Amino acid sequence: MKSCGVVVEYNPFHNGHLYHLEESKKHAEADCMIAIMSGNFLQRGEPAIIDKWHRTKAALRGGADLVLELPFLYAVQHSDYFSQGAIQTLAEVGVDSVCFGSENGRIAAFTEAFEHMNKHQEEYDVTVRRYLNEGYAYPEASRLGYESIAFPSGSIDLTQPNNILGYSYVKQLLTYAPDVEPLTVLRKNNHYHDEEIQGKIASATSIRKELFKERDMTEKAESSLPPSTVDVLHQYKNNLGRWHNWEAYFHLLQYKIMTMEESTLRCFHGVDEGLEYRLKRTVKEAATFHQFISSLKTKRYTWTRLQRTLAHILVGTDKQEARVLLRETPPPYARILGMSDTGKKYLRKVKKETSIPLITQPQQLDHEMLDLESRAAAAYYSVLTPERRVEQLNREYGPPVIHA
Amino acid sequence: MKSCGVVVEYNPFHNGHLYHLEESKKHAEADCMIAIMSGNFLQRGEPAIIDKWHRTKAALRGGADLVLELPFLYAVQHSDYFSQGAIQTLAEVGVDSVCFGSENGRIAAFTEAFEHMNKHQEEYDVTVRRYLNEGYAYPEASRLGYESIAFPSGSIDLTQPNNILGYSYVKQLLTYAPDVEPLTVLRKNNHYHDEEIQGKIASATSIRKELFKERDMTEKAESSLPPSTVDVLHQYKNNLGRWHNWEAYFHLLQYKIMTMEESTLRCFHGVDEGLEYRLKRTVKEAATFHQFISSLKTKRYTWTRLQRTLAHILVGTDKQEARVLLRETPPPYARILGMSDTGKKYLRKVKKETSIPLITQPQQLDHEMLDLESRAAAAYYSVLTPERRVEQLNREYGPPVIHA
């Protein structure tokens, strides 16, 4: 059985994701599509609009055969750790290829960039360090680093978010899993950060914006979503009472920061360079999450970096704990969120071959990374009513989603 | 100018408090009545129904001339630390006497009990320790200790809450401030824990119960409150949107406990003997504060002890910090919450004589105990709307209440 891995967030699963999944399957000539998906919190440091179980349902109905959870600690990270967690896990479950979407569509552009970087790594590092020391944020310092080592023409633009991720996947594959083939398919229409829905393929950002603005499903949003996603979004809101965004969590975050000493705040992953003082000073005056992060933002602290740090404070990721856990290579386990019949067959085969435990429920393994995962679940569901919250926290210990 | 101190919580200020204040003034032949009052959290580990500023207003209108704040760290404590903070502060601001209410009404009963205890301290300590080791809660072990040293007839019953407090005041006065005269006046009618309002003098517990049950002021409640208290209760609810009780804070407490590791929970003041595991286990399943504390309760952990510990978790009192701060004798400062004209005159005189700083605003002093105080304020006001919360947190840095 030929298998292909994809790295996804599906927040929510839309027509563009459907297209990518179908094209990847064709391109990889795969029988089994394996998605590794962020759980309840996402790479840019945001809570997912609906939880991982409902997003898994939509993914299975959209054609995924196996959905694995990217642990919280890898998911809410910059591209390096994010790709490390995702690609190494996919490699551990034995995928034959990994296929990602890109504006370029030509995998050679990525492998060439990797070789060029390998040759000029030192020069790049020196430049980046210099700009970081001057107080530039990492993305900007990195951009200047790339400029300094003059990529050959035809290479990808490493300052674009999708290219950065694609490049990280390729880098992980070529260094850690040389047997797994890197593949890319051309992305269609929308841009990552588009804020307005345009046509059948829209960005997830624009879809979420529409849903929160109207506080309901609209025709416009529906036009860019497969019916299964429309279903789960309705289901979630009807059963659990809401969709999630940062604003819903602000009162908890604010309370937590206000009742902590600076020295305790400093223990959270991402609270560096005196950010604890800035957090305490600004949080008192804010009435919304948007206000808070706007007043926190500086040249050094980008919006995304701050969001990630705030997600780690919300969940309670200890700095020391994160450091120890991220040292483990590969990730200590793979958790299965859902599977189709094909996925089930694939799993039976791969279970004998993989070197890491494949678990379907957290109670099958005693590991600190799972303690952190249960804190992430607790934080995520904290904004539900007590009854729904207790239900969802128990669901966390239940079996995966099965889709025939 | 002759002055008399009283130790109070005024949650809220009712006819019984008014009676005590007037009787104390007569009994002490005082010109100036000085109340030391718990701030936004109370001795039994509960948030006050309305904040300290509004309770100060009612106290001034009821006849207090100076209202001092008992710092959070002393207020939310068993009777030993509570009295230590209160009595030592009163002594530092130069009161001539301290007058408390008691069922007995005869101060000799307290001083005799103190002398008897002094003589039999060792025997008492041995007994208490034995019962604690057997898993008894402190109040019960203490009761058995008193039994073992057979008080002379006519002594007070040291198992009654008001007598325990009164005894602690006398003990503090006789050992720490022998120049200050201990006085007591007979309490009228109600018992400390009465749950139903009966007549013009009712317990604060019964009044709060009535107010929360009816979610509004009622005739019955009004009959046991001075008009000024009825006023401030109305004012508070109209301006700040609510009255406070533990249930309003449960979602914050629950979120905080759920997103903390056991090892972090253990750092809070009062989380001893493995309570951290019990907290984590039970909090997930609770839908209300009442459910939570009911399932936490054991022979060893009394309701009050648990409430205090939960208040310290809510506010974020670090165990180590508390240990260091409580070592300071006398308390490091006295903060004035409000004063009448008489109080102002008294203050002018005493300012030259006292050995501790008298402050009217926290920014006048740089002290860790004030950092903790600002966390307590942040926690207390966290359940208001963002606009009201910001206002109240700024008010915290404003001048005292002045009542002509």
Side-chain angles (χ1 to χ4, degrees):
Chain A
M1 207 188 311
K2 212 167 170 192
S3 65
C4 172
V6 289
V7 184
V8 302
E9 303 217 288
Y10 292 161
N11 185 38
F13 186 86
H14 57 52
N15 289 338
H17 296 131
L18 184 63
Y19 171 82
H20 165 239
L21 202 57
E22 287 170 347
E23 286 299 301
S24 298
K25 190 166 182 176
K26 273 190 236 161
H27 198 54
E29 299 175 341
D31 311 295
C32 182
M33 291 304 295
I34 301 175
I36 182 150
M37 187 180 82
S38 305
N40 293 332
F41 290 88
L42 305 169
Q43 206 232 336
R44 300 191 65 233
E46 285 165 347
I49 183 168
I50 54 175
D51 76 1
K52 59 189 179 189
W53 303 111
H54 290 76
R55 278 155 49 236
T56 296
K57 254 188 228 175
L60 291 174
R61 291 200 214 153
D65 294 299
L66 202 56
V67 181
L68 308 175
E69 178 173 27
L70 182 62
F72 172 78
L73 193 56
Y74 296 102
V76 183
Q77 291 280 3
H78 55 71
S79 57
D80 283 358
Y81 280 126
F82 180 85
S83 325
Q84 178 193 313
I87 297 295
Q88 293 187 1
T89 306
L90 286 175
E92 285 299 322
V93 300
V95 294
D96 297 302
S97 61
V98 167
C99 187
F100 57 91
S102 70
E103 280 79 12
N104 184 298
R106 215 172 49 87
I107 196 69
F110 287 90
T111 50
E112 279 158 26
F114 175 72
E115 277 152 27
H116 184 77
M117 264 300 280
N118 254 357
K119 263 185 241 149
H120 299 84
Q121 189 71 47
E122 210 184 306
E123 204 178 326
Y124 168 83
D125 288 346
V126 168
T127 312
V128 170
R129 215 173 307 126
R130 192 175 75 231
Y131 284 105
L132 285 178
N133 287 340
E134 285 181 22
Y136 283 82
Y138 185 79
E140 183 60 8
S142 171
R143 193 187 65 75
L144 291 160
Y146 291 132
E147 262 181 19
S148 77
I149 58 171
F151 281 87
S153 71
S155 281
I156 45 154
D157 174 2
L158 279 179
T159 65
Q160 297 304 311
N162 275 300
N163 287 341
I164 294 174
L165 275 172
Y167 176 79
S168 304
Y169 301 153
V170 170
K171 183 177 153 189
Q172 280 293 323
L173 285 169
L174 294 181
T175 49
Y176 177 81
D179 295 346
V180 179
E181 193 184 1
L183 297 172
T184 188
V185 293
L186 200 62
R187 284 171 68 92
K188 246 187 150 179
N189 289 354
N190 81 95
H191 290 284
Y192 195 62
H193 286 313
D194 270 356
E195 300 246 330
E196 285 253 6
I197 297 178
Q198 279 152 351
K200 272 189 163 318
I201 294 193
S203 73
T205 306
S206 65
I207 296 168
R208 290 194 305 273
K209 210 176 160 188
E210 169 88 3
L211 294 173
F212 280 108
K213 202 180 102 203
E214 304 300 328
R215 300 162 142 248
D216 212 342
M217 183 56 67
T218 63
E219 249 180 71
K220 210 172 176 185
E222 221 174 312
S223 72
S224 58
L225 298 168
S228 52
T229 299
V230 177
D231 266 13
V232 295
L233 281 165
H234 274 308
Q235 231 180 69
Y236 197 89
K237 208 164 165 225
N238 290 341
N239 297 342
L240 304 181
R242 74 175 322 140
W243 292 323
H244 302 245
N245 65 2
W246 251 122
E247 290 302 344
Y249 294 87
F250 180 57
H251 67 295
L252 298 174
L253 182 69
Q254 184 177 45
Y255 155 73
K256 197 173 187 181
I257 293 173
M258 288 200 303
T259 58
M260 277 185 166
E261 290 174 281
E262 279 88 353
S263 57
T264 315
L265 275 174
R266 202 179 301 139
C267 298
F268 290 120
H269 184 55
V271 182
D272 300 316
E273 303 160 4
L275 185 59
E276 62 272 26
Y277 301 101
R278 207 173 163 76
L279 287 167
K280 285 283 271 190
R281 252 197 336 268
T282 49
V283 78
K284 294 188 291 205
E285 301 295 330
T288 64
F289 181 76
H290 194 271
Q291 267 180 27
F292 180 36
I293 202 163
S294 301
S295 61
L296 273 179
K297 206 175 163 303
T298 63
K299 191 167 78 167
R300 187 184 291 267
Y301 300 116
T302 62
W303 193 281
T304 304
R305 178 174 167 192
L306 287 169
Q307 274 198 163
R308 276 185 207 131
T309 302
L310 295 175
H312 285 296
I313 295 176
L314 186 77
V315 164
T317 314
D318 183 81
K319 197 177 267 180
Q320 177 58 22
E321 167 189 51
R323 200 162 20 224
V324 172
L325 289 174
L326 286 171
R327 244 181 251 145
E328 293 206 30
T329 294
Y333 62 85
R335 179 169 183 197
I336 294 138
L337 294 177
M339 53 192 145
S340 69
D341 276 351
T342 308
K344 211 183 285 180
K345 270 179 224 146
Y346 180 83
L347 212 54
R348 226 171 282 146
K349 189 195 67 165
V350 85
K351 254 195 171 158
K352 299 167 200 147
E353 295 160 14
T354 177
S355 73
I356 59 171
L358 300 184
I359 61 173
T360 52
Q361 287 163 274
Q363 60 271 36
Q364 292 164 345
L365 188 72
D366 182 22
H367 198 285
E368 263 206 64
M369 197 171 281
L370 285 164
D371 292 345
L372 179 57
E373 212 64 44
S374 82
R375 270 176 278 148
Y380 185 77
Y381 294 120
S382 276
V383 295
L384 302 182
T385 62
E387 292 73 22
R388 293 293 91 77
R389 191 186 42 66
V390 171
E391 267 170 37
Q392 286 311 107
L393 286 179
N394 289 335
R395 202 279 168 247
E396 192 58 27
Y397 293 86
V401 179
I402 306 288
H403 181 73
Chain B
M1 205 187 314
K2 212 167 168 190
S3 64
C4 172
V6 289
V7 184
V8 302
E9 303 216 287
Y10 293 161
N11 185 38
F13 186 87
H14 57 54
N15 288 339
H17 296 131
L18 184 63
Y19 173 81
H20 166 239
L21 202 57
E22 287 170 346
E23 287 298 301
S24 298
K25 191 168 182 173
K26 274 189 236 162
H27 198 54
E29 298 174 343
D31 312 295
C32 182
M33 292 303 295
I34 301 175
I36 182 150
M37 187 179 83
S38 305
N40 293 332
F41 290 88
L42 306 168
Q43 206 231 335
R44 299 190 65 233
E46 284 165 348
I49 183 168
I50 54 175
D51 76 1
K52 58 190 180 189
W53 302 110
H54 290 77
R55 277 154 50 234
T56 296
K57 256 189 227 175
L60 291 174
R61 292 200 212 154
D65 294 299
L66 201 57
V67 181
L68 308 174
E69 179 172 26
L70 182 62
F72 171 79
L73 192 56
Y74 297 103
V76 183
Q77 291 281 2
H78 55 70
S79 58
D80 283 357
Y81 280 125
F82 181 84
S83 327
Q84 178 193 311
I87 296 296
Q88 294 188 1
T89 306
L90 287 175
E92 285 300 321
V93 300
V95 295
D96 297 302
S97 62
V98 166
C99 187
F100 57 91
S102 69
E103 281 79 12
N104 185 299
R106 215 170 50 86
I107 196 69
F110 288 89
T111 52
E112 279 158 26
F114 176 72
E115 277 151 26
H116 185 78
M117 264 300 279
N118 255 356
K119 263 185 241 150
H120 300 83
Q121 189 71 48
E122 208 183 308
E123 205 178 327
Y124 169 82
D125 289 345
V126 168
T127 313
V128 170
R129 214 172 310 125
R130 192 175 74 232
Y131 284 106
L132 284 178
N133 286 340
E134 285 181 21
Y136 283 82
Y138 185 80
E140 183 60 10
S142 171
R143 194 187 65 75
L144 292 159
Y146 291 131
E147 264 181 18
S148 78
I149 58 172
F151 281 86
S153 70
S155 281
I156 46 154
D157 173 1
L158 279 180
T159 64
Q160 297 302 312
N162 276 300
N163 287 342
I164 294 175
L165 275 172
Y167 176 79
S168 303
Y169 301 153
V170 170
K171 182 177 154 190
Q172 278 294 322
L173 286 169
L174 295 180
T175 49
Y176 176 82
D179 294 346
V180 180
E181 193 186 2
L183 298 172
T184 187
V185 293
L186 199 62
R187 285 170 67 92
K188 247 188 148 179
N189 290 353
N190 81 93
H191 290 284
Y192 194 63
H193 287 312
D194 270 356
E195 301 248 330
E196 286 252 7
I197 297 179
Q198 278 151 355
K200 271 189 165 314
I201 293 194
S203 73
T205 306
S206 65
I207 295 168
R208 288 195 305 273
K209 209 178 162 186
E210 169 87 2
L211 294 174
F212 279 109
K213 202 180 104 204
E214 305 299 328
R215 300 160 143 249
D216 212 341
M217 183 58 66
T218 62
E219 250 180 70
K220 211 173 178 185
E222 221 173 309
S223 72
S224 58
L225 297 169
S228 52
T229 298
V230 177
D231 266 13
V232 295
L233 280 165
H234 273 308
Q235 232 180 69
Y236 197 88
K237 209 168 165 217
N238 291 341
N239 297 342
L240 304 181
R242 73 175 322 139
W243 292 325
H244 302 245
N245 65 2
W246 250 123
E247 291 301 343
Y249 293 88
F250 180 57
H251 67 296
L252 297 174
L253 182 70
Q254 184 177 46
Y255 156 72
K256 198 171 185 181
I257 293 173
M258 287 200 302
T259 57
M260 277 183 164
E261 290 174 281
E262 280 88 353
S263 58
T264 315
L265 275 173
R266 202 180 300 139
C267 298
F268 289 120
H269 184 55
V271 182
D272 299 315
E273 303 162 2
L275 185 57
E276 62 272 26
Y277 300 101
R278 208 174 161 77
L279 287 167
K280 285 284 272 189
R281 251 199 334 269
T282 49
V283 78
K284 295 188 290 204
E285 301 294 331
T288 64
F289 180 76
H290 194 272
Q291 267 180 26
F292 180 37
I293 202 163
S294 301
S295 61
L296 273 178
K297 206 174 163 303
T298 63
K299 191 167 75 165
R300 186 184 292 264
Y301 300 116
T302 62
W303 193 283
T304 304
R305 178 175 168 191
L306 286 170
Q307 275 197 164
R308 276 185 206 131
T309 302
L310 295 176
H312 285 296
I313 295 176
L314 186 77
V315 164
T317 315
D318 183 82
K319 195 177 270 179
Q320 177 59 21
E321 166 189 50
R323 199 161 22 222
V324 171
L325 289 175
L326 287 170
R327 244 182 251 146
E328 293 205 31
T329 294
Y333 61 87
R335 179 169 184 196
I336 294 138
L337 293 178
M339 53 192 144
S340 69
D341 275 351
T342 307
K344 214 183 281 182
K345 271 178 226 148
Y346 181 82
L347 211 54
R348 229 172 280 146
K349 189 196 66 164
V350 85
K351 255 195 170 158
K352 300 166 199 147
E353 296 160 12
T354 177
S355 72
I356 59 171
L358 300 184
I359 60 174
T360 51
Q361 288 163 273
Q363 60 270 35
Q364 292 164 347
L365 189 72
D366 182 25
H367 198 286
E368 263 204 64
M369 198 172 279
L370 285 164
D371 292 345
L372 179 57
E373 212 63 43
S374 83
R375 269 176 278 149
Y380 185 77
Y381 294 119
S382 275
V383 295
L384 303 183
T385 62
E387 292 72 23
R388 296 292 90 78
R389 190 185 43 66
V390 171
E391 267 170 38
Q392 287 310 108
L393 287 179
N394 289 335
R395 202 276 167 250
E396 192 59 26
Y397 293 85
V401 179
I402 306 289
H403 181 71

